[in-house]
């Protein structure tokens, strides 16, 4: 386990040192495993979200998106079953009173004091509560959404009327969710505030198995081909462990340095949610047909767990360098531009010109510190796929630059006029 923890420590330290992820509220001592995405982290995270939106919304005819409020009418959570059912079992160490989620404590031994004597497990609701408005009484209690999903059900009729979609179709959303997790931890893996990318795909009941298989394969393609994850495992969730709304669930698990854990989930939610929200009658009807409650397949993707899996999967140590072998589409910077020497104004001016030009199309890094070797290694560590160097030959001979590839470390000369096209083709 020591080696794995070392890897996690290295990733956390790289994230902090290079500006991917910082401890939240750090100057005040942090806040219970909250994390902030820094300048590079926000790029990586946005790249993941944008690719997801493009693939699952923009490029499909059967999908539309929404962006709903984080705080919804509490009746939503009554109807969805979350107020009663969205619980985990909590146990408390009898010696030091530390609380744990019952299924997340290795060897049933208190991590803080080593004691093995715990209280009986009790149900603990994970909904994060607050008050809305100036009066703090029971009528002003509201909850931060614990999943983005419910808005897709609550807005179902509005979406249907405005988009004129027909079953099968889906509603997608990317946004924050909040859970009062008993044991947050493992860096950005389990936090109380996190982001989800979710799809509620509405179908006829008779097609649920085919649709489930279809989304299972779509999720595999996303994980392997878009994120580039080398290995993902599927876990069929046992019947007695299914969430209150699900008839079948598959967890997609990734081998994180701290163990094999859930990355994403795929659930068949039946017509549970629409039935609970539209008690006055079925919300879907086609011309000449009977009104009915569509059934739902739900592929759900955690954004932060995507970021973490991608970082763990791409982190490599080679001879004297650390390199993030990110898919170019995911990399925060697509290219870095350097003048060979920083005290030669003509080199700097030409490099600036190229930098400014590339910036119009992609995220570009600028570096003129130290020597070229150091600059390469600095870009390798943050996963920049290409580095472009302007040297004397650029100015005097061939109007070309040296382009160095992160993975092969090979260098080739490319004409400045062909550079943008080369980069567009490769990133
Ligand atoms: P777990 O068993 O790890 O608590 P879950 O089964 O409760 O997760 P879901 O309710 O299926 O999770 O949530 C959908 C997705 O949201 C998860 O697959 C995960 O990617 C993400 N997610 C859930 N809880 C958290 C959290 N506390 N921090 C970060 N991401 C989360």
């Amino acid at each position: 386990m020591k080696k794995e923890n070392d890897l996690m420590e290295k990733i956390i330290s790289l994230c902090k040192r290079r500006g991917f992820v910082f401890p939240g509220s750090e100057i005040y001592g942090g806040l219970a495993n909250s994390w902030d995405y820094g300048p590079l982290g926000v790029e990586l995270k946005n790249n993941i979200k944008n690719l997801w939106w493009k693939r699952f919304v923009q490029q499909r005819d059967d999908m539309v998106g929404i962006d709903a409020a984080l705080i919804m009418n509490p009746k939503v959570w009554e109807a969805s079953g979350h107020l009663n059912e969205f619980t985990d079992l909590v146990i408390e160490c009898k010696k030091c009173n530390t609380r744990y989620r019952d299924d997340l404590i290795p060897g049933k031994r208190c991590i803080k004091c080593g004691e093995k004597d715990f209280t009986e497990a009790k149900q603990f609701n994970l909904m994060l509560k607050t008050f809305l408005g100036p009066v703090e009484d029971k009528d002003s209690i509201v909850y931060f959404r614990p999943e983005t999903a419910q808005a897709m059900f609550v807005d179902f009729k509005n979406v249907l009327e405005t988009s004129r979609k027909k079953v099968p179709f889906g509603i997608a959303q990317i946004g924050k969710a909040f859970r009062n997790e008993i044991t947050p931890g493992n860096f950005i893996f389990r936090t109380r505030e996190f982001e989800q990318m979710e799809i509620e795909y509405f179908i006829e009941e008779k097609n649920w198995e085919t649709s489930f298989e279809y989304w299972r394969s779509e999720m595999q393609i996303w994980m392997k081909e878009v994120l580039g994850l080398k290995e993902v495992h599927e876990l069929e969730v046992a019947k007695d462990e299914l969430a209150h709304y699900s008839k079948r669930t598959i967890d997609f698990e990734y081998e994180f340095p701290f163990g094999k854990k859930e990355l994403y989930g795929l659930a068949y939610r039946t017509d549970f949610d629409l039935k609970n929200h539209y008690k006055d009658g079925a919300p879907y009807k086609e011309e000449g047909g009977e009104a009915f409650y569509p059934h739902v397949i739900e592929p759900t993707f955690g954004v932060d767990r995507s970021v973490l899996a991608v970082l763990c999967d791409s982190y490599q140590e080679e001879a004297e360098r650390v390199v993030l072998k990110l898919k170019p589409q995911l990399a925060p910077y697509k290219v870095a531009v350097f003048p060979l020497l920083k005290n030669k104004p003509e080199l700097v001016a030409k490099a600036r010109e190229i930098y400014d030009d590339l910036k119009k199309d992609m995220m570009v890094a600028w570096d003129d510190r130290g020597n070229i070797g150091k600059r390469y290694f600095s870009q390798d560590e943050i996963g920049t796929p290409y580095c472009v160097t302007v040297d004397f030959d650029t100015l005097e001979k061939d109007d070309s630059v040296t382009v160095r590839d992160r993975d092969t470390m090979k260098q080739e000369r490319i004409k400045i006029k062909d550079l943008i096209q080369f980069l567009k083709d490769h990133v």
Side-chain angles (χ1 to χ4, degrees), residues 101 179 181 188-192 194 196 198 245 262-265 300-302 304-305:
R101 192 170 122 180
R179 294 181 188 179
E181 295 277 359
I188 52 174
F189 177 81
R190 188 178 302 286
T191 50
R192 293 187 171 127
F194 56 97
Q196 295 182 315
E198 293 196 301
Y245 50 75
E262 175 177 336
L263 171 63
Y264 301 148
T300 170
F301 308 67
D304 312 85
R305 288 188 191 178

Side-chain angles (χ1 to χ4, degrees), residues 11-22 187 311:
I11 291 173
I12 295 172
S13 142
L14 169 75
C15 282
K16 170 136 204 264
R17 192 170 69 250
R18 299 306 307 272
F20 281 93
V21 182
F22 310 124
F187 193 33
L311 286 171

Side-chain angles (χ1 to χ4, degrees), residues 174-278:
I174 299 179
K176 290 251 174 166
F178 298 79
R179 294 181 188 179
N180 207 359
E181 295 277 359
I182 299 157
T183 326
N186 286 327
F187 193 33
I188 52 174
F189 177 81
R190 188 178 302 286
T191 50
R192 293 187 171 127
E193 170 180 346
F194 56 97
E195 227 172 335
Q196 295 182 315
M197 308 182 282
E198 293 196 301
I199 293 168
E200 304 307 320
Y201 198 74
F202 300 97
I203 51 166
E204 286 181 55
E205 180 178 8
K206 66 177 182 348
N207 296 328
W208 83 265
E209 273 156 322
T210 336
S211 184
F212 194 92
E213 285 311 315
Y214 168 80
W215 282 105
R216 182 182 188 172
S217 117
E218 279 298 302
M219 292 181 84
Q220 285 284 359
I221 296 171
W222 163 263
M223 291 182 281
K224 300 224 169 98
E225 292 173 23
V226 184
L227 297 188
L229 302 180
K230 289 174 209 85
E231 214 181 308
V232 180
H233 308 270
E234 288 188 2
L235 173 83
E236 182 79 43
V237 176
K239 288 262 175 302
D240 57 344
E241 285 177 24
L242 288 173
H244 62 278
Y245 50 75
S246 171
K247 227 175 181 174
R248 184 180 178 195
T249 296
I250 289 179
D251 286 349
F252 294 92
E253 297 186 319
Y254 179 75
E255 194 75 60
F256 289 99
F258 43 85
K260 193 156 60 154
K261 305 267 180 214
E262 175 177 336
L263 171 63
Y264 301 148
L266 173 66
Y268 169 38
R269 287 182 89 123
T270 68
D271 54 0
F272 177 87
D273 302 274
L274 287 180
K275 269 209 165 128
N276 282 317
H277 290 305
Y278 293 90

Side-chain angles (χ1 to χ4, degrees), residues 85-102:
E85 309 270 356
F86 197 56
T87 54
D88 276 337
L89 287 175
V90 63
I91 52 173
E92 190 173 318
C93 171
K94 283 191 177 164
K95 190 168 170 208
C96 71
N97 302 109
T98 308
R99 291 175 158 203
Y100 297 97
R101 192 170 122 180
D102 189 43

Side-chain angles (χ1 to χ4, degrees), residues 65-119:
I66 60 166
D67 181 15
L70 301 185
I71 297 177
M72 304 175 77
N73 189 317
K75 286 183 188 152
V76 170
W77 309 113
E78 221 177 282
S80 69
H82 281 81
L83 285 183
N84 284 330
E85 309 270 356
F86 197 56
T87 54
D88 276 337
L89 287 175
V90 63
I91 52 173
E92 190 173 318
C93 171
K94 283 191 177 164
K95 190 168 170 208
C96 71
N97 302 109
T98 308
R99 291 175 158 203
Y100 297 97
R101 192 170 122 180
D102 189 43
D103 60 332
L104 288 186
I105 172 155
K108 285 278 184 296
R109 182 186 284 277
C110 178
I111 297 167
K112 208 160 162 197
C113 73
E115 192 56 55
K116 282 188 130 183
D117 198 9
F118 289 96
T119 56

Side-chain angles (χ1 to χ4, degrees), residues 36 46 67 96 106 112 141 163 166 169 186 190 192 207 238 250 275 278 283 307 312 341-342 367 371-372 403 408 418:
D36 295 342
N46 282 345
D67 181 15
C96 71
K112 208 160 162 197
I141 292 178
S163 67
K166 288 209 163 67
F169 79 99
N186 286 327
R190 188 178 302 286
R192 293 187 171 127
N207 296 328
I250 289 179
K275 269 209 165 128
Y278 293 90
V307 171
C312 294
L341 299 167
K342 92 181 213 192
D367 197 354
N371 62 43
I372 291 287
V403 178
T408 62
D418 300 329

